[in-house]
Amino acid sequence: PAGGSPRRASDACPSGSGGVARYSPRMADNASPRAPRLIVVPLVLGIIGAIALLIFAELGYQRLESAAQRVAAALELQSSLYETQSLVVDAETGQRGFLLTGREEYLVPYRDALPKIEQTERRLRELARTIGTPELQDSATRLDVMIGKRLAEMEATLALYERRGRDVALELMNTGIGRRTMDEIRAQVALMVKQQHTLWSEGASRWSRDLSVIRIGLQAMTAFTILLLLAVWMLVRRET
């Protein structure tokens, strides 16, 4: 009206009409936290996935290390078995050579083999405990008894040689008692080698299986991480 104060353009164009609506700070406050909330969820899932991947990799490493130790112990067990058998044969050969010839130098392999046999037997018992199968531990105990029996027979024959002479000692040796004990030792070594081969095969299979599981797990975790990153990128792109 005439004489009155002029009306503002905003008064002439109220909201809801065809005019331009006024900017409301409350609307900005309600919209701005939405994007961060949408991004936080994938980021949290990504952190959880990374932690799960770390735990999975550590557990897989421990399983692989355990399998590798079992395989190494099985291979060392086989080597120790053959070494022990060879040492007993060396001792037997030296004893027989001395009985047949009476020459002291033939006793050198016998005397040298005795402490080595004790060392290899001790190592066999340790490996049997490390691998931990009851069958193998029982086999190692039986082998100890057989080797002890054979060494006692050789010692008794040498003692008989010193007391009664060469002919009596050879007569005892020709009864075949030592040969039978040695055949038992060879059979027991062959049995333990077979048990060792079974353990080695199981350890190698477990190793291969664990590698496959770890590979698949790492691939799955990697794919999951990539999907989360893509989701974050799409959300950021949509909100900007």
Side-chain angles (χ1 to χ4, degrees), residues 13-188:
C13 299
S15 59
S17 63
V20 180
R22 289 179 297 175
Y23 174 76
S24 174
R26 182 178 300 178
M27 294 173 59
D29 293 339
N30 292 335
S32 58
R34 184 166 175 258
R37 282 200 300 267
L38 291 176
I39 297 174
V40 165
V41 174
L43 289 178
V44 171
L45 291 177
I47 294 173
I48 295 174
I51 295 174
L53 178 61
L54 179 63
I55 296 174
F56 181 80
E58 179 62 24
L59 293 176
Y61 171 78
Q62 292 178 1
R63 287 178 61 87
L64 288 177
E65 186 178 18
S66 176
Q69 289 175 352
R70 290 177 66 85
V71 170
L75 293 176
E76 186 179 357
L77 175 65
Q78 178 176 333
S79 176
S80 298
L81 283 170
Y82 287 134
E83 182 181 4
T84 302
Q85 178 177 308
S86 176
L87 289 171
V88 175
V89 171
D90 290 344
E92 187 181 50
T93 302
Q95 180 238 23
R96 182 181 294 109
F98 171 76
L99 293 177
L100 292 174
T101 65
R103 298 170 60 179
E104 286 288 334
E105 58 263 28
Y106 281 95
L107 285 179
V108 174
Y110 169 79
R111 291 168 179 159
D112 290 344
L114 293 181
K116 295 179 181 178
I117 291 173
E118 183 179 355
Q119 293 175 2
T120 55
E121 284 186 295
R122 186 184 311 113
R123 184 55 181 161
L124 281 174
R125 290 191 295 269
E126 292 175 355
L127 289 171
R129 286 195 298 267
T130 300
I131 296 176
T133 58
E135 295 82 4
L136 192 57
Q137 293 178 13
D138 292 341
S139 297
T141 301
R142 287 193 295 270
L143 182 62
D144 282 345
V145 172
M146 293 175 185
I147 292 175
K149 179 182 177 182
R150 184 67 190 108
L151 295 179
E153 290 169 355
M154 287 189 281
E155 184 179 358
T157 304
L158 291 174
L160 188 62
Y161 179 94
E162 295 293 333
R163 294 195 306 266
R164 304 285 297 276
R166 174 175 176 270
D167 293 339
V168 177
L170 287 176
E171 183 179 353
L172 176 61
M173 186 180 67
N174 290 332
T175 59
I177 183 173
R179 179 178 55 80
R180 289 191 295 270
T181 305
M182 198 64 203
D183 289 343
E184 293 175 357
I185 291 174
R186 291 190 178 95
Q188 187 64 25

